[in-house]
């Protein structure tokens, strides 16, 4: 049964299309600026008569894109697998094994759920300096794993709390120890939750800006977002190149997003609802 | 914090089917196994303790000292907090964050509600997929990129002014991010753009779960679209609205990336927000103590704003 009237549907459609256009305009405007001849002052949204696609090649070299991509990947590879594994283990311990005193540990973790990163960035700087890690990728990787723990453990615990106990009991009867139970029974079952967490941690790490600019001076050792900040500092006056470079730097996330968009949207929605 | 929504329904494994209906409650694995379970929690807890709890405590400690980050730190008690609450610049900076809440939170939630109630039950099909994908784009790209894109859009030669000139409003064109009156709202608009898609899609998802019978009943009672919205839609969306407000208010109060890129806090301190000021105080001004006091205040403000919302929007779901 459909009670939504035709005119209501039409209004809805028009609203949505308007929203889509507004969402896309900044990207289109950047693209039109990026295609103008170098050295000119571009205006608003105007398709150039002779689009300079070569600007993207220039920006690729100027931004040192190869090194940036490698750096961001290294940071993601450092943060995401470790973060996901230890969060899954902790979620299993708190949600399924229900360790004695687990509530206290969980409460402590919940404290961090709304924590603005600005609240810890200054001591982290001195901590990393004392560890001799300033200006290395570890200075971003290690704190991010810790900072993502509240959400990650919360997320995995919520999953493990819903898994029926009988499953584990059956495995116990078959003679598996906790280690085998975890890897052979629980992890395969937790795959959807783990996949969502992986996507979220990837996205947040890739886009992390504050820690990158505070803890690492060398842009080629930063995350993509941090590198983009440095790129703006360097080419801020060359609008054509800045727009071309920005588009290049955000392309990898866009590609990954478009491939996995269903999972991304699902993960982000669930992530917000749970968090 | 509810875990009502779970994407975690795995395929049922063999063992699950054999459960008997009269099973006693949860069984523990015995005392030793219980304590051994801590080994599973420990790695996560350690990383959290070293890289979050310890720095957090240090921030609180630093906030009681005057320290330039290098030399001897001098104990000053609550002086730094006194400065945060009496310095007119710092108060304005905190106020700026609250102005941003209007743009980051209230506008996206209000617009999102409007859009979502108009598109209720019509987000399926290819059109729906395209819309959802596009609306999510701002959530997926780095905020820094959003800042750069909008700086260009709002610049003197940017699209916004171009459109204004085209419709005969050439008189109001300006460098939106550069002028005292318009800089902060302009930064806010960037936040609106970033948050609107997420709010809209969360609200649409929430609406799709509302029982159509409720709308039917409302229509039979002669409710128009407006009455319907306030009687059926809004009450059913309590949790989703709470989530939107929580996420966006934290983003507004802790904002850094967009401001750093689009205005660096200027003109003057017109768009400076606490996050940016903490960064500036700690790393350019070398006033680590004051920066830390501001950081503690920011943290408390976030909690003071978010906890009541959690309470109000979640109590019936507990």
């Amino acid at each position: 049964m459909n009670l939504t009237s035709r005119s209501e549907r039409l209004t809805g459609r028009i609203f949505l299309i308007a929203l889509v256009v507004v969402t896309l305009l900044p990207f289109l405007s950047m693209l039109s600026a990026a295609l103008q001849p170098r050295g000119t002052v571009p205006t608003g949204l105007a398709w150039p008569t002779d689009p300079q696609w070569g600007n993207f090649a220039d920006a690729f070299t100027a931004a040192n894109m190869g090194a940036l991509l490698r750096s961001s990947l290294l940071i993601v590879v450092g943060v995401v697998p470790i973060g996901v594994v230890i969060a899954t283990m902790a979620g299993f311990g708190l949600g399924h094994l229900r360790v004695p005193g687990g509530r206290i540990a969980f409460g402590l973790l919940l404290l961090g759920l709304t924590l603005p990163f600005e609240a810890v960035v200054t001591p982290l700087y001195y901590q990393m300096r004392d560890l001799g890690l300033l200006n290395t990728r570890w200075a971003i990787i290690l704190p991010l794993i810790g900072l993502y723990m509240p959400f990650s453990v919360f997320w995995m615990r919520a999953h493990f709390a819903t898994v029926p106990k009988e499953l584990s009991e059956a495995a116990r009867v078959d003679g598996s120890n906790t280690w085998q139970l975890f890897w052979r029974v629980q992890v395969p079952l937790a795959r959807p939750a783990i996949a969502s967490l992986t996507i979220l941690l990837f996205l947040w790490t890739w886009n992390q800006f504050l820690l990158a600019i505070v803890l690492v001076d060398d842009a080629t050792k930063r995350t993509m977002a941090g590198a983009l900040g440095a790129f703006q500092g360097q080419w801020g006056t060359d609008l054509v190149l800045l727009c071309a470079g920005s588009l290049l730097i955000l392309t990898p996330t866009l590609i990954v997003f478009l491939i996995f968009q269903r999972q991304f949207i699902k993960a982000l929605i669930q992530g917000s609802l749970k968090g | 914090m509810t875990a009502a929504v779970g994407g975690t329904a795995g395929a049922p494994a063999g063992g699950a089917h054999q459960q008997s209906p009269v099973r006693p409650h949860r069984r523990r694995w015995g005392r030793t196994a219980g304590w051994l379970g801590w080994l599973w929690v420990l790695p996560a807890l350690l990383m959290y303790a070293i890289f979050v709890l310890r720095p957090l405590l240090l921030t609180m400690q630093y906030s009681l000292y005057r320290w330039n980050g290098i030399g001897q730190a001098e104990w000053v008690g609550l002086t730094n907090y006194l400065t945060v609450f009496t310095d007119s610049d710092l108060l304005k900076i905190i106020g700026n964050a609250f102005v941003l809440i209007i743009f980051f939170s209230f506008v996206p939630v209000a617009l999102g509600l409007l859009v979502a109630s108009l598109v209720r039950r019509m987000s399926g099909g290819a059109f729906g997929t395209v819309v959802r994908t596009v609306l999510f784009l701002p959530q997926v790209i780095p905020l820094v990129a959003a800042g750069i894109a909008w700086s260009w859009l709002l610049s003197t030669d940017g699209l916004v002014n171009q459109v204004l000139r085209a419709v005969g409003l050439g008189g109001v064109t300006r460098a939106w991010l550069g002028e005292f009156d318009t800089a902060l709202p302009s930064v806010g608009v960037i936040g609106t753009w970033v948050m609107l898609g997420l709010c809209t899609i969360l609200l649409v998802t929430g609406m799709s779960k509302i029982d159509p019978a409720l709308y039917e009943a409302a229509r039979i009672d002669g409710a128009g679209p407006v009455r319907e919205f306030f009687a059926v839609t809004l009450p059913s969306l309590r949790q989703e609205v709470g989530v939107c407000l929580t996420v966006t208010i934290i983003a507004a109060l802790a904002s850094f990336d967009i401001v750093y890129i689009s205005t660096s806090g200027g003109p003057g301190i017109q768009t400076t927000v606490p996050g940016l000021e903490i960064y500036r105080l700690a790393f350019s001004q070398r006033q680590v103590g004051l920066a830390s006091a501001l950081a503690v205040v920011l943290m408390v403000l976030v909690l003071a704003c978010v906890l009541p919302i959690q309470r109000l929007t979640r109590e019936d779901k507990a």
Side-chain angles (χ1 to χ4, degrees), chain B residues 13 86 94 113-114 131 155 171 188 204 206 237 240 277:
Chain B
T86 52
I94 294 172
L113 277 171
L114 176 67
V131 169
S155 67
V204 169
L237 285 180
E240 280 79 10
E277 185 67 4

Side-chain angles (χ1 to χ4, degrees), chain B residues 93-168:
Chain B
I93 287 166
I94 294 172
N96 286 345
F98 280 91
V99 174
L100 286 188
I101 289 182
I102 300 171
F103 292 93
F104 278 61
S105 305
F106 298 157
V107 176
V109 172
L111 265 180
L113 277 171
L114 176 67
V115 175
S117 55
L118 281 170
V119 304
R120 178 165 57 90
R121 290 195 287 151
M122 56 167 285
S123 53
F127 178 71
T129 310
V130 171
V131 169
R132 275 158 61 97
T133 309
V134 170
L135 291 188
F136 250 97
L137 283 180
Q139 282 292 315
V140 174
I141 62 165
L143 285 174
V144 183
I148 292 178
W150 277 89
S151 304
W152 157 230
L153 223 60
L154 293 163
S155 67
T156 323
D157 300 312
L159 179 63
V160 171
N161 284 336
Q162 188 189 25
V163 169
L164 285 174
R165 275 186 218 105
V167 297

Side-chain angles (χ1 to χ4, degrees), chain A residues 112-254:
Chain A
L113 214 49
T114 60
L115 184 80
F117 284 15
E118 291 100 327
V120 290
V121 74
T122 315
L124 277 177
Y125 175 85
Y126 293 108
Q127 203 167 326
M128 287 302 146
R129 190 192 61 182
D130 296 343
L131 290 170
L133 293 177
L134 222 48
N135 242 331
T136 68
R137 292 189 190 94
W138 291 111
I140 302 175
I141 293 171
L142 294 173
L144 278 187
I145 295 176
L147 283 159
Y148 293 153
M149 264 318 110
F151 176 82
S152 310
V153 176
F154 182 72
W155 175 264
M156 291 313 304
R157 181 189 163 275
H159 160 76
F160 283 113
T162 63
V163 176
K165 288 279 163 191
E166 287 74 13
L167 265 182
S168 303
E169 283 169 17
R172 296 275 175 193
V173 171
D174 293 346
S176 17
N177 57 31
T178 313
W179 183 254
Q180 289 163 333
L181 168 74
F182 178 70
W183 288 107
R184 299 221 183 118
V185 181
Q186 296 290 349
V187 168
L189 273 179
R191 237 177 347 218
I194 292 175
S196 300
L197 183 63
T198 306
I199 287 175
L200 289 172
L201 292 192
F202 159 76
L203 188 67
W204 294 339
T205 306
W206 194 267
N207 290 347
Q208 177 53 40
F209 181 62
L210 178 66
L211 289 193
I213 62 164
V214 168
L215 301 170
V216 174
D217 272 334
D218 182 351
T220 57
K221 290 184 188 166
R222 286 181 181 171
T223 59
M224 265 305 173
L228 188 51
F231 189 76
Q232 195 230 21
Q234 210 175 343
W235 300 98
T237 48
D238 187 340
L239 200 69
V240 173
L241 199 65
L242 178 66
C243 286
S246 305
L247 284 173
L248 277 185
I249 284 179
L250 62 84
T251 304
T253 359
L254 282 194

Side-chain angles (χ1 to χ4, degrees), chain B residues 213-230:
Chain B
L214 286 175
Y215 286 108
E216 225 172 297
R219 290 258 155 145
I220 290 166
D221 286 351
V226 177
R227 275 259 320 270
E228 194 181 73
F229 173 78
F230 284 104

Side-chain angles (χ1 to χ4, degrees), chain A residues 1-4 8-9 11-13 15-17 19-20 22-27 29-30 33 41-45 86 89-90 92-94 97-102 105 108-109 111-116 118-129 142-143 145-147 149-150 153-154 158-159 162 165-169 172 178-179 182 189 192-193 203 207 209-210 213-214 225 228-229 232 239 242-243 246 250 253-254 257-258 261 265 268-270 272-275, chain B residues 1-3 5-8 10-11 13 15-16 19 23 26-29 34-35 37-41 43-45 47-48 50-56 58-59 62 67-69 114-115 118-122 127 129 131-142 144-145 148-150 152-153 157-159 162 193 196 198 200-202 205 209 215-216 219 225 239-240 243 247 250 254-257 260-261 275 278-279 282-283 286 288 295 298-299 302-303 306 310 314:
Chain A
M1 181 173 303
N2 192 351
L3 291 165
T4 320
E8 248 178 89
R9 281 176 160 269
T11 332
R13 226 161 240 264
F15 254 93
L16 271 191
I17 291 170
L19 210 59
V20 164
V22 170
T23 309
L24 286 178
L25 270 181
F27 295 100
S29 171
M30 271 216 275
V41 180
T43 315
L45 192 65
I86 67 177
M89 287 171 57
F92 173 67
L94 293 172
L97 296 178
R98 297 184 186 268
V99 299
L108 211 58
L109 276 163
L111 264 183
L113 214 49
T114 60
L115 184 80
E118 291 100 327
V120 290
V121 74
T122 315
L124 277 177
Y125 175 85
Y126 293 108
Q127 203 167 326
M128 287 302 146
R129 190 192 61 182
L142 294 173
I145 295 176
L147 283 159
M149 264 318 110
V153 176
F154 182 72
H159 160 76
T162 63
K165 288 279 163 191
E166 287 74 13
L167 265 182
S168 303
E169 283 169 17
R172 296 275 175 193
T178 313
W179 183 254
F182 178 70
L189 273 179
L203 188 67
N207 290 347
F209 181 62
L210 178 66
I213 62 164
V214 168
L228 188 51
Q232 195 230 21
L239 200 69
L242 178 66
C243 286
S246 305
L250 62 84
T253 359
L254 282 194
F257 171 62
L258 290 178
Q261 51 114 349
I265 293 176
L268 266 170
I269 288 182
Q270 288 170 0
S272 333
L273 281 176
K274 277 194 188 175
Chain B
M1 316 272 151
T2 166
V5 183
T8 49
Q19 53 179 291
R23 188 124 217 151
R26 302 195 165 95
R27 207 199 288 165
R28 290 263 168 95
W29 308 122
W35 286 104
W38 271 94
L39 289 176
W40 295 90
V41 187
L45 221 49
M47 289 305 280
Y48 177 66
I50 299 172
F51 296 105
V52 181
L53 287 184
R54 180 176 182 268
L56 200 56
L58 282 173
T59 299
Y62 293 168
W67 186 37
N68 63 11
L114 176 67
V115 175
L118 281 170
V119 304
R120 178 165 57 90
R121 290 195 287 151
M122 56 167 285
F127 178 71
T129 310
V131 169
R132 275 158 61 97
T133 309
V134 170
L135 291 188
F136 250 97
L137 283 180
Q139 282 292 315
V140 174
I141 62 165
V144 183
I148 292 178
W150 277 89
W152 157 230
L153 223 60
D157 300 312
L159 179 63
Q162 188 189 25
W193 178 79
L196 182 58
L198 180 72
T200 305
I201 287 178
L202 270 171
T205 309
K209 292 188 205 122
Y215 286 108
E216 225 172 297
R219 290 258 155 145
Q239 194 206 353
E240 280 79 10
V243 169
V247 172
I250 294 177
S255 56
F256 178 83
D257 310 26
Y260 179 95
I261 286 295
I278 292 166
Y279 171 80
F283 300 106
R286 296 261 158 218
V288 177
L298 174 63
M299 204 166 57
V302 169
L303 285 177
V306 166
Q310 295 281 326
R314 292 264 166 105

Side-chain angles (χ1 to χ4, degrees), chain B residues 166-191:
Chain B
V167 297
L169 286 169
V172 297
T173 60
R174 66 195 71 207
W176 295 93
L177 286 162
E179 287 188 15
F180 271 77
D181 295 339
T182 56
L184 191 58
S186 300
V187 169
V189 166
I190 308 180

